[in-house]
């Protein structure tokens, strides 16, 4: 009869462990959804966006809502998945929009949702001048504001 | 007087019960949605195949009420390592809201012979074509696509049951 007691104890502990794990799992899922669909922080570095972004690296907050509704406009600083290396994310400014989001009656076969992105530092930037216009769907977020370094906290201009 | 008060009290308790019930259901739906979205983004998802550009691999007959449903694996998006022959789901380069399913026939660095000339697939891109060449809108029209547009790799057909199979390669 002792093993029956052990079994019940084990069942209680297992249920507790499962509850704790499921709380952690739900939290991780919430983290993923927030990071992918709402807002996330990115560390950006490099000379291609001087003087808007610092050479030594900034942390910026980017939102992931605008691009899903087509609300990316001229002059926006966006996070783009590089067309030359899909593992790299680059930060550039939108300087040209093509395609049927601008004209209401475009022929759907001719429609071309491409965006020209250029770095603010035109002397040290590989961008649409090198790899051409990028398909709109490579845009993953729009920069919102800079949070680090603290002396440069605020919107990017 | 007492009967009327009791009725009001019972109604108040019942209302509160329905409110908490609605709240519980909403919480469960929200949690389920978030978990489902995470699984669909990072693990795998099931999508229908529309059209016959991948016939006979998918949708071998033209009747659309028996569309194939396929399992799309998302683990491949960790390092974007694709091979020739992979069937992938990707966002259209010309209409960003549309998704296509085609097969990769050219990986970066390879040469593809199109109608008039020979094209080199640039770094970070791939050349996709449908299995049904006669009726497929693919790289022969819109050129090589950046690998970043790929949303997942098709591994199996999961519906209808008689067409259940694992894609080779």
């Amino acid at each position: 009869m002792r093993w029956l007691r052990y079994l019940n104890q084990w069942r209680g502990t297992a249920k507790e462990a499962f509850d704790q794990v499921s709380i952690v799992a739900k939290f991780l899922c919430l983290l993923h959804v927030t990071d992918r669909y709402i807002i996330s922080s990115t560390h950006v570095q490099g000379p291609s966006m001087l003087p808007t972004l610092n050479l030594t690296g900034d942390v910026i907050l980017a939102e992931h809502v605008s691009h899903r509704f087509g609300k990316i406009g001229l002059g926006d600083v966006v996070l783009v998945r590089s067309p030359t290396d899909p593992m790299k994310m680059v930060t550039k400014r939108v300087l040209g929009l093509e395609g049927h989001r601008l004209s209401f009656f475009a022929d759907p076969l001719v429609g071309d949702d491409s965006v020209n992105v250029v770095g603010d530092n035109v002397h040290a930037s590989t961008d649409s001048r090198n790899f051409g216009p990028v398909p709109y769907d490579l845009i993953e977020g729009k920069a919102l504001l800079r949070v680090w370094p603290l002396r440069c906290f605020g919107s990017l201009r | 007087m007492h009967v009327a008060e009791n009725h009001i009290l019972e109604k108040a308790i019942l209302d509160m019960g329905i409110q908490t019930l609605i709240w519980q259901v909403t919480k469960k739906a929200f949690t389920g949605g978030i978990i489902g979205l995470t699984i669909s983004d990072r693990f795998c998802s099931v999508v229908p195949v529309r059209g016959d550009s991948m016939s006979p691999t998918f949708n071998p007959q033209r009747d659309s009420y028996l569309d194939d449903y396929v399992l799309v694996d998302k683990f491949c998006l960790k390092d974007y390592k694709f091979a020739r022959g992979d069937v992938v789901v990707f966002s259209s380069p010309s209409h960003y809201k549309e998704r296509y399913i085609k097969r990769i026939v050219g990986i970066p660095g390879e040469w593809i012979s199109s109608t008039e000339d020979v094209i080199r697939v640039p770094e970070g891109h791939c050349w996709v074509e449908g299995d049904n060449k006669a009726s497929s809108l693919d790289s022969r029209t819109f050129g090589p696509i950046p690998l970043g547009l790929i949303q997942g790799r098709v591994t199996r057909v999961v519906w209808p049951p008689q067409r259940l199979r694992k894609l080779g390669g």
Side-chain angles (χ1 to χ4, degrees):
Chain A
M1 285 312 286
R2 234 182 309 165
W3 58 267
L4 203 63
R5 240 187 302 141
Y6 289 154
L7 196 67
N8 281 331
Q9 269 175 354
W10 181 83
R11 210 169 0 158
T13 318
K15 182 165 190 323
E16 239 184 73
F18 178 77
D19 283 342
Q20 299 285 52
V21 167
S22 75
I23 290 180
V24 173
K26 285 181 206 168
F27 178 69
L28 290 178
C29 289
L30 184 67
L31 221 59
H32 164 89
V33 169
T34 312
D35 189 82
R36 177 82 74 97
Y37 293 94
I38 306 177
I39 197 167
S40 69
S41 69
T42 325
H43 181 231
V44 296
Q45 58 187 67
S48 66
M49 283 296 288
L50 282 170
T52 313
L53 297 175
N54 298 318
L55 175 66
T56 43
D58 292 348
V59 176
I60 59 173
L61 285 184
E63 50 98 346
H64 304 275
V65 181
S66 303
H67 75 101
R68 288 187 198 275
F69 292 101
K71 294 256 182 286
I72 299 288
L74 286 176
D76 287 345
V77 177
V78 293
L79 261 55
V80 179
R81 196 168 282 281
S82 164
T84 48
D85 180 2
M87 305 281 293
K88 246 184 12 179
M89 297 288 298
V90 298
T91 318
K92 302 277 180 251
R93 193 181 294 270
V94 174
L95 288 188
L97 296 163
E98 295 168 42
H100 78 280
R101 286 178 304 109
L102 288 183
S103 80
F104 206 57
F105 300 104
D107 174 13
L109 275 179
V110 172
D112 187 31
D113 289 337
S114 308
V115 178
N116 278 321
V117 291
V118 179
D120 284 353
N121 184 4
V122 290
H123 303 292
S125 167
T126 332
D127 45 41
S128 285
R129 295 166 303 155
N130 309 85
F131 46 65
V134 304
Y136 183 85
D137 210 67
L138 283 181
I139 295 179
E140 305 222 337
K142 180 161 90 168
L144 211 53
L145 51 90
R146 171 173 31 216
V147 295
W148 189 268
L150 286 173
R151 57 184 158 82
C152 308
F153 188 98
S155 65
L156 307 161
R157 272 303 143 199
Chain B
M1 196 66 113
H2 285 294
V3 173
E5 277 172 10
N6 274 345
H7 274 314
I8 294 174
L9 204 59
E10 271 172 19
K11 189 169 183 304
I13 293 174
L14 214 66
D15 279 344
M16 236 181 356
I18 291 183
Q19 252 177 12
T20 45
L21 185 70
I22 293 180
W23 175 239
Q24 292 296 334
V25 168
T26 314
K27 255 197 341 193
K28 284 268 184 291
F30 183 72
T31 315
I34 290 202
I35 295 177
L37 198 54
T38 307
I39 291 179
S40 159
D41 283 346
R42 289 193 174 248
F43 183 30
C44 65
S45 64
V46 176
V47 298
V49 180
R50 304 275 180 236
D52 58 355
S53 61
M54 284 296 289
S55 183
T57 315
F58 305 135
N59 291 355
Q61 293 110 357
R62 305 254 352 198
D63 35 23
S64 65
Y65 46 83
L66 267 187
D67 276 345
D68 285 356
Y69 282 73
V70 293
L71 190 72
V72 182
D73 156 66
K74 305 289 167 105
F75 286 128
C76 57
L77 298 177
K78 282 242 161 355
D79 48 14
Y80 283 94
K81 272 206 182 15
F82 295 101
R84 208 181 310 115
D86 282 347
V87 179
V88 292
V89 177
F90 59 94
S91 298
S92 162
S94 40
H95 296 87
Y96 75 96
K97 287 213 179 92
E98 291 174 7
R99 302 259 174 105
Y100 298 153
I101 300 184
K102 300 281 179 279
R103 193 182 294 272
I104 294 182
V105 296
I107 58 178
E110 287 188 335
W111 292 85
I112 303 286
S113 71
S114 118
T115 43
E116 295 116 14
D117 51 3
V118 189
I119 302 175
R120 184 177 181 277
V121 179
E123 274 313 308
H125 288 63
C126 61
W127 188 272
V128 291
E129 282 183 20
D131 287 352
N132 185 5
K133 307 244 181 287
S135 147
S136 163
L137 183 66
D138 49 37
S139 285
R140 292 168 301 159
T141 311
F142 45 66
I145 58 160
L147 288 171
L149 286 179
I150 293 181
Q151 310 290 333
R153 171 175 45 210
V154 177
T155 47
R156 290 164 193 274
V157 180
V158 294
W159 185 267
Q162 62 266 26
R163 283 184 47 80
L164 231 67
R165 58 182 248 269
K166 186 166 150 64
L167 252 56

